[in-house]
Amino acid sequence: MSAVVDVAVIGGGIVGMATAAELLSMRRGSLVVLEAEATLGEHQTGRNSGVIHSGIYYKPASLKARLCAEGRQAMLRFCQERGIAHERCGKVIVATRQELVPMLDELERRGRANGLRPRRATAEEIKEREPHVACLEGLIVEETGIVHFADVLRELGRVVEERGERSARAAG
């Protein structure tokens, strides 16, 4: 027996589940998530580093920079609203040789243009924050964070179930 649905989302990773959740929030109708594996997130999501990126490396005003900033804010908001453990721990970017110092200048410029607040730091300040790092100087980028994306995916699964049940009740 086959069922007819309005929308099929292919892939039960974080992108597929976020897409399904958003589609269910925008419209009524039936939706199915098709996943080849036995559990969600068996591929890229399950192997993710857990970094919530700041976007400091992206060309200012580019689509990548804009989407990274929007995605970072949305991820932090989702984690906060849904009680998902996360940390805005920031990151350091360092110059270990004199010829790398201009790279810090450029990254600081890009970061500011992308709405970040990178802060220049001396070798001593970096050492205080990251004792095993030796450098000439660095940048501290507070907007970067970490999260266990499997936790985010599990919560997205709950959101899809909740919204799907609401959508089914509204249609029935």
Side-chain angles (χ1 to χ4, degrees):
M1 178 175 175
S2 65
V4 176
V5 296
D6 297 311
V7 176
V9 174
I10 312 235
I14 202 161
V15 173
M17 295 306 286
T19 300
E22 186 64 20
L23 286 170
L24 286 168
S25 75
M26 295 183 334
R27 62 186 302 277
R28 287 185 167 68
S30 58
L31 179 141
V32 65
V33 175
L34 303 173
E35 172 55 51
E37 304 300 338
T39 59
L40 298 177
E42 287 293 314
H43 295 279
Q44 183 61 36
T45 301
R47 293 166 180 77
N48 191 289
S49 67
V51 174
I52 302 170
H53 293 281
S54 68
I56 195 165
Y57 297 104
Y58 299 136
K59 178 181 173 184
S62 68
L63 182 60
K64 269 186 169 181
R66 183 173 61 85
L67 292 177
C68 186
E70 289 173 11
R72 178 185 68 251
Q73 292 163 356
M75 178 62 69
L76 293 170
R77 190 171 45 254
F78 183 76
C79 289
Q80 185 70 34
E81 289 169 359
R82 302 297 286 205
I84 301 167
H86 64 289
E87 184 180 351
R88 267 184 79 165
C89 53
K91 72 186 267 175
V92 296
I93 304 169
V94 300
T96 56
R97 299 183 316 269
Q98 190 59 45
E99 62 267 21
L100 296 176
V101 171
M103 170 201 68
L104 295 178
D105 297 332
E106 176 59 15
L107 288 175
E108 184 175 15
R109 184 193 69 76
R110 281 181 180 228
R112 291 192 190 290
N114 286 333
L116 304 172
R117 296 176 313 279
R119 180 174 63 81
R120 264 329 232 277
T122 64
E124 294 77 26
E125 289 174 297
I126 297 292
K127 190 73 133 171
E128 274 181 35
R129 188 171 177 135
E130 295 294 336
H132 300 290
V133 173
C135 66
L136 299 177
E137 62 179 293
L139 284 177
I140 297 175
V141 185
E142 297 294 350
E143 291 85 355
T144 300
I146 55 173
V147 68
H148 189 72
F149 280 104
D151 294 342
V152 174
L153 181 60
R154 262 191 301 283
E155 193 59 28
L156 276 171
R158 286 187 194 98
V159 170
V160 168
E161 285 178 7
E162 292 165 7
R163 289 179 181 171
E165 288 170 5
R166 248 189 323 235
S167 180
R169 282 193 305 271

